[in-house]
Amino acid sequence: MRILHTSDWHIGRTFHGHSTLDALRGVLMSLVAEVSAREVDVVIVAGDVFDSAMPAADCYTLLTDTLVAIRDAGARVILTSGNHDSAARLGFQSRLLSDGITVVTDPASIGTPVTIDDESGPVHFYGIPYLEPALVRHLWDGVPVRTQRDALTHAMSLVRDDARARGGRTVAIAHCFAAGVDPTPHLECDIQQGGLDVVPLAVFDDVDYAALGHIHGRQRLSEHVRYAGAPLHYSFGEGSKPRGGWIIDMDATGVASIESFDLPIPRRLVTLTGTLDELLDPARFEDATDAWVFARYTDVAPQSDPMRRLQTRFAHCAKVVHAPDVIHDDGETSYASRLRATRSDLEVIDAFLTHVRNGVGASDAEREILREVVREREASDALV
């Protein structure tokens, strides 16, 4: 059996105010092409299918089109809900979906697998929807559930009990922040990623493969526990990481091989650093013209309207920050003490500008404007 592991589609997410729907559609159609070319039998989507609990109508359209395309390519599909999804909205149409598409959103179903047979027998897929401790603890009488660790530990115990009774090969699907550490008791929430506290890697022992979602970079936590990552770059911090997932081949005894696959990147992400004039120089950074750009301009003082100016150079400039190379050191002289040393309104304004602009006071042109404003104010006060 050949399995494709993907996750974190985040349908409907914006990128610095820009819609990602068209780009994601193209990438997901490339994923469908992988399913067809590699003759994949089962596609796993490990949570965060949507980006919000209330996705727009066109988000449902993209999801439906993608699921139907995967099914037409010959693969079964198993989806679970993540912390961004509304389990109710993601799962409401699950009973109406065509044969071969299963949506797992009900915590009460944990321990009941989707079983798919191949020539070597059954493979049991145990979907674990995102478990919010406060919302699931009432399901398990006598089981203390305060953290993600508690919830996943108990969920996996249900999986193991059922798997032992059934026999065969097993795949667990979960959406959580897993790590190869055992956190300090009662301090689990001190280690978090995306608002989820850590789940020890050992929780996923005793299954042939654990397909995880939540981390956006493809990662191997152990030979049998992996994150697929997101199909798109959703932040500049992800820009250096490839997009794709894992292909898992199973034989009669379990996992025979695992290999990564890459997905196309519709528009690459770059971070550019320099003075504003350097960034605007048409002879520089030519390879970033069509990229998403995060600009860090290093001028000592903040510049006027940097985003608009940079977008005339880079049409897809999405983020701009002022990151001066030199930080002004006031030494032991405080802003208050400098104010006390001023002798005129003009000096007060100059002291303020020096304070908020990294040690850079008013320019000659600015001082001339300020003098005129101060004179007008003084003349107006004299008439009162």
Side-chain angles (χ1 to χ4, degrees), residues 209-285:
Y209 185 75
L212 302 186
H214 184 57
I215 302 298
H216 285 191
R218 187 171 60 205
Q219 292 187 35
R220 173 188 177 276
L221 299 185
S222 72
E223 189 57 33
H224 79 289
V225 183
R226 302 184 184 223
Y227 283 105
L232 274 185
H233 289 124
Y234 288 117
S235 73
F236 281 101
E238 302 170 11
S240 62
K241 299 175 182 177
R243 303 288 85 173
W246 300 104
I247 298 287
I248 304 98
D249 283 322
M250 302 194 81
D251 60 16
T253 61
V255 174
S257 66
I258 302 176
E259 65 173 303
S260 63
F261 71 91
D262 291 336
L263 289 170
I265 297 171
R267 192 181 303 283
R268 68 191 186 93
L269 283 68
V270 299
T271 299
L272 306 180
T273 302
T275 66
L276 191 58
D277 285 343
E278 289 171 343
L279 295 173
L280 293 171
D281 185 348
R284 304 187 63 173
F285 308 113

Side-chain angles (χ1 to χ4, degrees), residues 35 40-43 67 69-77 99-101:
V35 171
V40 170
D41 299 299
V42 181
V43 173
L67 296 182
I70 292 173
R71 192 70 189 98
D72 289 346
R76 298 278 300 267
V77 188
D99 180 50
I101 301 174

